[in-house]
Amino acid sequence: MALSNDLTKILNAEEEPLAKRLKIADHVFNSDDIYLQSKETYLLDWLIGITNNNARELLNQWLTSEHFRNLSKIDLSQRCIKKIYEVAWERLNNSGILFLNAKVYHS
């Protein structure tokens, strides 16, 4: 519990540069040596809330990583899965590709 609280303080410490906090989050996300209950849900929730381009790139890395592919439904909350879906849907809409009636149209 103490490690979880410390991580929360570090990631939310706005006096620390965002690049440093992103690096810490990336290390924790990818580390098998750091065990925190629901760490993936917590870190994904935190990262999705950041609109910085570096955060978006890191999110893309996480979502396409081997670590993420090996997660099960137990590792992610329903709320987190919904947020990931919403982010993916928004990016698809912003990319100029529209999905209508299972057909793909380029705008």
Side-chain angles (χ1 to χ4, degrees), residues 37-96:
Q37 186 176 6
S38 304
K39 78 175 180 180
E40 290 84 3
T41 292
Y42 174 76
L43 291 169
L44 285 163
D45 277 343
W46 176 78
L47 190 59
I48 288 170
I50 299 172
T51 57
N52 176 286
N53 283 337
N54 293 336
R56 287 188 194 120
E57 289 175 22
L58 183 58
L59 180 61
N60 285 336
Q61 289 174 16
W62 286 2
L63 295 179
T64 58
S65 71
E66 185 74 25
H67 179 84
F68 186 79
R69 284 191 295 269
N70 290 330
L71 295 176
S72 67
K73 287 183 178 181
I74 295 171
D75 297 317
L76 297 172
S77 70
Q78 290 293 338
R79 186 187 73 230
C80 186
I81 292 169
K82 183 180 179 203
K83 280 185 174 183
I84 292 168
Y85 173 80
E86 289 169 355
V87 167
W89 184 252
E90 178 183 321
R91 289 183 184 166
L92 281 172
N93 285 332
N94 291 338
S95 71

